[in-house]
Amino acid sequence: CQDTFGWVLRANGNRSRALVALKQANALAPANPQILYHLGILYQEGKQSRAAVQSFSKALELSKSFEGARDAQSRLDALRAEPSSPPTH
């Protein structure tokens, strides 16, 4: 499936293609918390904190017991604890 393909691409260092594959997987299965969790990790690794928070939050809203749920909660807590960036003028 696209989720597995995206995760393999990520493992091989091809983050941009992995993101595309995981977005496609999410479009096909929007209620799959595992896909949202994987998307959250990619967003977090890419310093896209807002998107990561949204993905982890949605995954945990859907289920608290999927593989990776504890890690998703830990990552979400860490992201929420990060200080906000100062406003730019």
Side-chain angles (χ1 to χ4, degrees):
C1 92
Q2 286 294 104
D3 178 56
T4 302
F5 180 60
W7 210 232
V8 169
L9 288 168
R10 174 193 171 265
N12 288 322
N14 196 333
R15 292 183 23 78
S16 60
R17 285 187 60 206
L19 191 56
V20 169
L22 287 170
K23 284 180 178 181
Q24 289 173 345
N26 186 56
L28 294 170
N32 184 322
Q34 190 74 40
I35 295 169
L36 288 160
Y37 166 61
H38 288 162
L39 265 174
I41 291 173
L42 271 178
Y43 286 135
Q44 187 177 24
E45 290 173 348
K47 309 291 187 224
Q48 297 175 14
S49 297
R50 183 173 295 160
V53 165
Q54 289 173 343
S55 291
F56 291 139
S57 295
K58 180 67 175 173
L60 291 164
E61 284 173 21
L62 291 167
S63 174
K64 300 264 191 247
S65 61
F66 65 92
E67 185 179 335
R70 286 185 186 177
D71 184 55
Q73 186 64 62
S74 294
R75 288 172 180 269
L76 182 59
D77 292 344
L79 286 163
R80 288 182 171 159
E82 288 179 359
S84 298
S85 301
T88 56
H89 294 87

